[in-house]
Amino acid sequence: MQVAIDGPASAGKSTVAKIVANKLSFVYIDTGAMYRACTLIARDHDLEYGNEKGILAAIDEDGIKLEPGEKGQKVIVAGKDVSLEIRTPEITAHVSEVSALPGVRAKMVDLQRQLAGSTNVIMDGRDIGTTVLPKADVKIFLVASARSRAERRMLDWQEKGIEAKQSLEEIEADISKRDYLDSHREISPLKKADDAIEIDSTHMTIDQVVDAILTEIKKKQK
Ligand code: CDP
Ligand code: CDP
């Protein structure tokens, strides 16, 4: 069984995907973390974020690995756990530029399909239902208003101990900018797959979203 969860920034994709994966013992794959790792690699190699060739070579040199961790998935770059470092505002501000590079996308999509293999998997991102796993059994398109997503992101940073140097309005503006870039890029833009079920979580709790997704999965398991 393959479950794809796509949607804009901070809609709650990774939070609910992790819970559903735990409940069903599915493998969880956070594809956003992979593009964040590519962005971190670019920065650490002092490369311009548009330098596709340089970034691809640096990814080959460092390597990106996903490992199961206590809190979901650990991201390892050059043998080092960078799970927290990839979430900083600096990396977040540049990830859409790096993720729009065709060569980077091709490399990550290959890796994502390899990781999915033939196991039960739940994968979240922007192009999972449209490109990475077009035959996924369940496709969810998770949305929420930009304001509520900004509020969630701010809380999330506070909980993780990441210092938010921006106001709520600035976080919302950044989220909207990233959504625009992700939806308008040429390759695999953020887009609802024709056969995806849309869930608007603006006024839903995490548990309600999890239940809605579990219901869709159960329908397919029958
Ligand atoms: O957690 P948040 O929603 O802020 O973002 P993320 O899921 O960690 O993804 C970070 C960025 O990676 C997105 O803004 C996209 O530019 C890119 N991404 C992508 O292009 N395709 C995916 N399948 C997943 C993420
Ligand atoms: O993965 P994505 O960027 O879509 O979102 P996330 O990293 O899971 O962040 C969503 C944040 O909103 C987390 O801090 C959740 O606790 C919170 N939240 C949620 O995910 N779903 C709700 N219905 C309400 C709040």
Side-chain angles (χ1 to χ4, degrees):
M1 159 96 46
Q2 293 183 328
V3 181
I5 305 189
D6 291 301
S10 259
K13 301 180 297 297
S14 52
T15 303
V16 297
K18 255 180 245 170
I19 299 172
V20 172
N22 271 336
K23 282 191 189 267
L24 302 177
S25 300
F26 280 22
V27 172
Y28 165 58
I29 300 170
D30 174 355
T31 65
M34 296 164 80
Y35 292 100
R36 287 173 178 275
C38 297
T39 310
L40 183 81
I41 290 174
R43 189 204 61 185
D44 288 352
H45 285 252
D46 287 324
L47 296 164
E48 300 271 347
Y49 293 111
N51 178 352
E52 180 173 70
K53 233 175 130 188
I55 295 174
L56 287 172
I59 295 170
D60 282 342
E61 192 186 322
D62 284 1
I64 299 174
K65 282 204 195 105
L66 302 185
E67 285 178 6
E70 264 171 46
K71 290 183 194 155
Q73 173 198 271
K74 275 199 302 189
V75 184
I76 313 288
V77 166
K80 192 178 136 211
D81 184 350
V82 295
S83 310
L84 273 185
E85 222 181 323
I86 57 171
R87 311 261 160 218
T88 59
E90 186 199 354
I91 297 302
T92 304
H94 296 288
V95 62
S96 290
E97 202 179 330
V98 174
S99 75
L101 300 171
V104 170
R105 293 209 75 79
K107 206 177 193 50
M108 291 305 113
V109 170
D110 267 358
L111 190 55
Q112 287 152 16
R113 288 184 181 144
Q114 263 177 46
L115 289 169
S118 51
T119 51
N120 288 327
V121 72
I122 178 159
M123 199 182 272
D124 84 309
R126 302 291 186 288
D127 60 339
I128 311 307
T130 54
T131 306
V132 182
L133 304 175
K135 293 191 180 141
D137 304 274
V138 177
K139 296 183 185 178
I140 304 291
F141 197 71
L142 188 59
V143 299
S145 73
R147 175 49 68 114
S148 66
R149 290 187 283 125
E151 285 167 356
R152 291 175 187 177
R153 183 47 52 97
M154 200 166 202
L155 264 178
D156 202 31
W157 279 343
Q158 281 166 2
E159 279 163 16
K160 289 191 175 119
I162 295 173
E163 189 193 354
K165 291 191 183 123
Q166 300 155 296
S167 65
L168 188 61
E169 284 70 25
E170 284 166 334
I171 296 175
E172 186 178 341
D174 277 2
I175 281 181
S176 299
K177 183 179 162 203
R178 198 143 57 88
D179 289 347
Y180 182 88
L181 291 173
D182 291 343
S183 313
H184 289 82
R185 66 171 175 240
E186 233 163 87
I187 300 178
S188 310
L190 166 65
K191 188 171 158 273
K192 178 178 172 291
D194 292 337
D195 50 349
I197 297 145
E198 182 163 322
I199 299 177
D200 184 342
S201 74
T202 307
H203 303 293
M204 288 170 85
T205 63
I206 294 172
D207 286 345
Q208 286 171 329
V209 180
V210 167
D211 283 346
I213 295 173
L214 287 173
T215 303
E216 295 304 327
I217 295 173
K218 278 183 194 130
K219 278 188 206 163
K220 297 284 173 173
Q221 280 175 328
K222 272 180 196 158

